């Protein structure tokens, strides 16, 4: 599951590839992708970071860990249980998260065990708060759902207690097919596999390896958002454990303020153990990627702008088709090969009558006529579509996200691409090992955010103008480059924001699930919504 001024490609010649040259480049890129996937998978099995020592990096179990072990003897894993402990820490997607070592891992088997763990943690927190006096007591624990966040400490804690919700992975459709119960520890592959078999779908994740909990509590974008709204706006109820250790349910009729706050308020209100989502009939979908040379950048940006603008034209013959998801446009620089490439994800959530033809909305768009190396677009299951996105960025590498939001404006889109390209020069000079530097553009239409239940994201009152979520997805190999990558990514985002501010084409919203650790997404929800979230969290 990322920009430049209007003259971005004046230094790029118009397409003039011969057939043999295009074929050669295609073979090179294909070999690289296959090798990269194989290397990534192999390195996960064989690479053992020499800076991680699970037995010596932590002191003996703390009194808190011992108290948890006494209360939950079969559900607490310590570092001296080397195999089980390493399996738990290695289940994170980003390498940085794997390097944050807790004192112990609590792996509850049911909701009552979570209540027990929270009661023990609350007692310890209250005691430390007394000792700290006016000083704020340090955090004691972290919660992990799917573990896909690249932010170190987002779902991990050094020397504290990690509550791993991995056993809460059940997926149960209702008898009438109108809703689905999903455990917080499930991944979207678990959900789609069950629902594919039942001819159903939910407004859910686009990357099969992402966890249900994090994506949903952060708002959530979906292939089905054009039809039904954001992921969070399609959750009927939440089961959660509060700080008191009690279990409650939040829905439109029970704890309605809490129910609304959880729709983008993240994990600030309790430990959510189960989501009940609306479901609907769904067959196979049409999806895939177009892979193109960097010389198509100007045309790709123009095609993106044109397609997203359909929502703003008001012409019934060219209106945005609610079955069309995307386009998601990715510009990538691959350090190992020293090349740039473009990938565009197109989705249509209704199977076309003729499976051999593109859906009309995409066929008549500018993307249909762009020259490309190859296309993977075809009719497939939802699981297959989300697996394809997951395969592009496998686990076990160092990762950084950062994001901003702009209006669908040609000059600002070009400026974003310019920021992406400007960073490549410094990256080349630094020679970051194994780096893939990617800029991603994807639409966020006002019509989408108004569908489904109300949420506190601050988007319901936005204008009718389409928005674009701009994000950087960066992965690399060695910890020595961490700070450089973070600084470079932040500089690129701030450069885009500066242009957007000057052009009056920026927007305050920041998609929480793409934010870097230095970003403050809740401030982008607006003052009234932020006050609401704070009030509910008390």
């Amino acid at each position: 599951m990322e920009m430049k001024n209007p003259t971005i490609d004046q230094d790029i010649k118009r397409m003039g590839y011969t057939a043999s040259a295009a074929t050669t480049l295609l073979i090179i890129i294909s070999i690289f992708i296959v090798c990269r996937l194989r290397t990534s998978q192999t390195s996960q099995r064989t690479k053992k970071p020499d800076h991680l020592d699970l037995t010596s990096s932590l002191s003996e179990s703390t009194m808190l860990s011992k108290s948890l072990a006494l209360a939950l003897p079969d559900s607490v894993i310590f570092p001296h249980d080397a195999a089980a402990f390493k399996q738990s820490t290695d289940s994170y997607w980003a390498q940085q998260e794997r390097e944050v070592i807790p004192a112990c891992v609590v792996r509850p088997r049911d909701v009552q065990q979570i209540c027990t763990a929270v009661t023990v943690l609350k007692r310890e927190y209250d005691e430390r708060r007394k000792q700290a006096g006016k000083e704020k007591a340090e955090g004691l624990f972290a919660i992990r759902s799917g573990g896909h966040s690249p932010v170190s400490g987002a779902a991990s804690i050094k020397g504290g207690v990690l509550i791993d919700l991995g056993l809460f992975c059940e997926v149960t459709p209702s008898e009438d097919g109108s809703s689905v119960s999903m455990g917080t520890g499930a991944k979207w592959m678990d959900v789609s596999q069950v629902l594919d078999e039942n001819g159903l779908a939910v407004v859910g994740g686009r990357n099969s390896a992402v966890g249900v909990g994090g994506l949903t509590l952060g708002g959530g974008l979906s292939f089905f958002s054009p039809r039904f709204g954001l992921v969070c706006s399609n959750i009927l109820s939440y089961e959660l454990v509060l700080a008191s250790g009690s279990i409650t349910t939040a829905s439109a009729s029970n704890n309605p303020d809490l129910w609304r706050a959880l729709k983008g308020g993240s994990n600030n209100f309790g430990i959510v153990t189960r989501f009940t989502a609306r479901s609907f009939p769904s067959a196979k979908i049409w999806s895939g990627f177009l892979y193109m040379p960097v010389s198509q950048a100007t045309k790709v940006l123009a095609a993106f702008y044109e397609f997203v603008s359909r929502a703003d034209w008001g012409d019934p013959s060219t209106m945005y088709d609610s079955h069309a998801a995307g386009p998601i446009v990715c510009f990538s620089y691959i350090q190992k090969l020293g090349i740039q490439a473009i990938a565009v994800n197109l989705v249509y959530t209704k199977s076309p009558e003729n499976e051999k033809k593109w859906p009309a909305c995409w066929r008549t768009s500018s993307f249909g006529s762009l020259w490309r190396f190859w296309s993977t677009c075809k009719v497939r299951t939802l699981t297959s579509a989300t697996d394809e996105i997951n395969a592009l960025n496998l686990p076990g590498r160092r990762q950084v996200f950062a994001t901003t939001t702009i209006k669908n404006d040609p000059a600002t889109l070009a400026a974003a691409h310019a920021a992406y390209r400007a960073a490549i020069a410094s990256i080349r000079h630094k020679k970051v090992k194994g780096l893939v530097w990617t800029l991603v553009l994807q639409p966020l239409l006002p019509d989408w955010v108004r569908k489904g239940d109300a949420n506190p994201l601050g988007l319901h009152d936005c204008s009718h103008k389409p928005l674009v979520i701009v994000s950087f997805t960066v992965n690399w190999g060695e910890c020595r480059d961490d700070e450089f990558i973070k600084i470079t990514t932040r500089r690129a985002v701030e450069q885009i924001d500066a242009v957007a501010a000057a052009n009056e084409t920026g927007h305050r919203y920041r998609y929480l699930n793409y934010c870097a650790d230095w970003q403050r997404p809740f401030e982008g929800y607006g003052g009234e919504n932020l006050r609401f979230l704070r009030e509910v969290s008390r």
Side-chain angles (χ1 to χ4, degrees):
M1 35 207 222
E2 312 175 270
M3 291 187 270
K4 206 163 183 171
N5 50 37
T7 60
I8 55 175
D9 273 328
Q10 288 179 351
D11 60 332
I12 298 177
K13 296 180 179 179
R14 295 291 181 184
M15 277 299 299
Y17 292 110
T18 63
S20 60
T23 302
T24 301
L25 186 52
L26 171 58
I27 292 171
I28 292 172
I29 294 177
S30 299
I31 292 173
F32 170 76
I33 291 174
V34 171
C35 289
R36 183 184 168 203
L37 293 182
R38 289 176 177 172
T39 301
S40 297
Q41 292 165 342
T42 302
S43 65
Q44 290 171 51
R45 296 191 297 267
T46 61
K47 187 178 179 181
K48 299 179 180 179
D50 56 13
H51 56 282
L52 288 183
D53 185 340
L54 298 180
T55 58
S56 63
S57 62
L58 296 173
S59 61
E60 289 296 317
S61 302
T62 62
M63 291 302 296
L64 173 58
S65 300
K66 291 180 179 179
S67 297
L68 287 165
L70 286 171
L72 301 166
D74 298 323
S75 299
V76 180
I77 307 171
F78 289 96
H80 57 73
D81 302 321
F85 194 84
K86 189 174 188 303
Q87 182 180 18
S88 178
T89 56
D90 281 358
S91 66
Y92 288 103
W93 176 62
Q95 179 62 31
Q96 302 101 302
E97 283 279 72
R98 299 180 180 192
E99 295 168 3
V100 180
I101 308 301
C104 69
V105 177
V106 177
R107 201 166 158 80
R109 301 169 188 272
D110 54 43
V111 180
Q112 289 298 331
Q113 287 199 349
I114 295 181
C115 294
T116 300
V118 169
T119 300
V120 173
L121 290 165
K122 179 65 163 57
R123 185 168 61 240
E124 177 68 16
Y125 176 80
D126 289 342
E127 183 61 32
R128 293 191 187 186
R129 192 174 183 181
K130 287 180 183 178
Q131 297 175 1
K134 293 183 179 180
E135 294 183 13
K136 187 177 180 180
E138 293 185 0
L140 299 178
F141 69 100
I143 307 162
R144 181 174 68 201
S145 167
H148 203 271
S149 171
V151 177
S152 183
S156 60
I157 185 167
K158 183 178 181 180
V161 176
L162 171 63
I163 298 178
D164 178 2
L165 300 178
L167 296 179
F168 288 73
C169 57
E170 74 286 347
V171 179
T172 308
S174 64
E175 290 187 7
D176 65 359
S178 65
S179 64
V180 176
S181 173
M182 307 177 295
T184 302
K187 296 185 178 181
W188 289 107
M189 66 178 74
D190 303 317
V191 177
S192 63
Q193 286 169 357
V194 170
L195 298 187
D196 280 346
E197 294 175 356
N198 288 272
L200 298 171
V202 295
V203 182
R206 301 169 297 185
N207 183 324
S208 62
V210 169
V212 167
L215 179 95
T216 306
L217 292 173
L221 295 168
S222 171
F223 292 144
F224 297 101
S225 288
R227 291 171 62 190
F228 302 109
L230 302 180
V231 176
C232 66
S233 296
N234 286 274
I235 301 300
L236 297 170
S237 67
Y238 306 78
E239 178 188 79
L240 67 160
V241 176
L242 302 175
S244 63
S246 61
I247 304 169
T248 193
T249 300
S251 66
S253 58
N254 188 57
N255 297 314
D257 283 349
L258 178 59
W259 176 65
R260 180 170 174 259
L262 288 166
K263 296 178 181 297
S266 194
N267 59 354
N268 293 295
F269 308 94
I271 301 177
V272 178
T273 58
R274 187 174 70 237
F275 302 84
T276 301
R278 294 185 183 91
S279 57
F280 46 87
S282 180
K284 292 182 178 181
I285 68 173
W286 181 92
S287 77
F289 280 86
L290 312 179
Y291 291 93
M292 291 171 277
V294 66
S295 57
Q296 293 286 70
T298 300
K299 292 181 179 179
V300 169
L301 286 172
F304 178 90
Y305 169 75
E306 175 270 327
F307 192 85
V308 176
S309 293
R310 290 184 177 189
D312 195 34
W313 288 348
D315 182 350
S317 65
T318 57
M319 284 296 288
Y320 201 104
D321 189 328
S322 65
H323 287 283
I328 303 176
V329 173
C330 309
F331 300 93
S332 292
Y333 168 66
I334 305 166
Q335 177 89 322
K336 186 174 182 179
L337 294 182
I339 64 170
Q340 298 180 54
I342 302 170
V344 181
N345 181 241
L346 305 179
V347 175
Y348 196 75
T349 57
K350 181 181 179 181
S351 294
E353 294 181 3
N354 186 338
E355 293 190 2
K356 295 182 179 181
K357 289 186 177 182
W358 282 29
C361 70
W362 291 120
R363 189 172 65 250
T364 59
S365 75
S366 297
F367 289 105
S369 59
L370 288 178
W371 191 94
R372 53 187 178 268
F373 293 129
W374 75 96
S375 165
T376 65
C377 294
K378 64 180 182 180
V379 174
R380 60 177 88 200
T381 63
L382 182 60
T383 300
S384 172
T386 59
D387 280 345
E388 182 179 31
I389 290 181
N390 176 51
L392 296 178
N393 197 350
L394 292 170
R397 292 172 54 76
R398 313 189 78 79
Q399 304 276 353
V400 155
F401 289 170
T403 188
T404 189
T405 304
I406 61 174
K407 296 176 182 177
N408 186 40
D409 168 69
T412 313
L413 290 171
H417 187 267
Y420 152 79
R421 288 188 59 193
I424 293 175
S426 61
I427 290 171
R428 281 176 173 154
H429 179 73
K430 183 70 174 178
K431 296 181 180 179
V432 179
K433 186 175 180 180
L435 178 133
V436 179
W437 167 259
T438 301
L439 167 72
V440 181
L441 306 176
Q442 55 186 309
L444 178 64
L445 304 189
D447 184 52
W448 303 356
V449 301
R450 296 188 182 110
K451 294 178 178 178
D453 304 315
N455 59 61
L457 302 181
L459 291 167
H460 277 75
D461 58 352
C462 64
S463 72
H464 64 284
K465 296 291 184 182
L467 300 177
V468 177
I469 293 179
V470 180
S471 60
F472 285 92
T473 298
V474 191
N475 63 80
W476 67 102
E478 298 182 349
C479 62
R480 66 179 184 179
D481 297 312
D482 288 2
E483 196 61 27
F484 170 76
I485 294 299
K486 289 180 181 179
I487 291 172
T488 302
T489 306
R490 180 169 184 169
R491 185 181 297 126
V493 170
E494 290 175 343
Q495 183 179 334
I496 297 167
D497 284 340
V499 173
N503 293 345
E504 297 184 347
T505 53
H507 194 277
R508 71 187 184 192
Y509 178 70
R510 301 291 181 270
Y511 180 42
L512 186 151
N513 292 332
Y514 292 168
C515 281
D517 55 8
W518 54 270
Q519 297 188 288
R520 300 292 178 263
F522 295 121
E523 294 178 4
Y525 290 8
E528 183 178 345
N529 287 314
L530 184 55
R531 285 189 294 273
F532 167 75
L533 292 175
R534 285 172 173 162
E535 184 63 31
V536 174
S537 69
R538 291 175 181 170

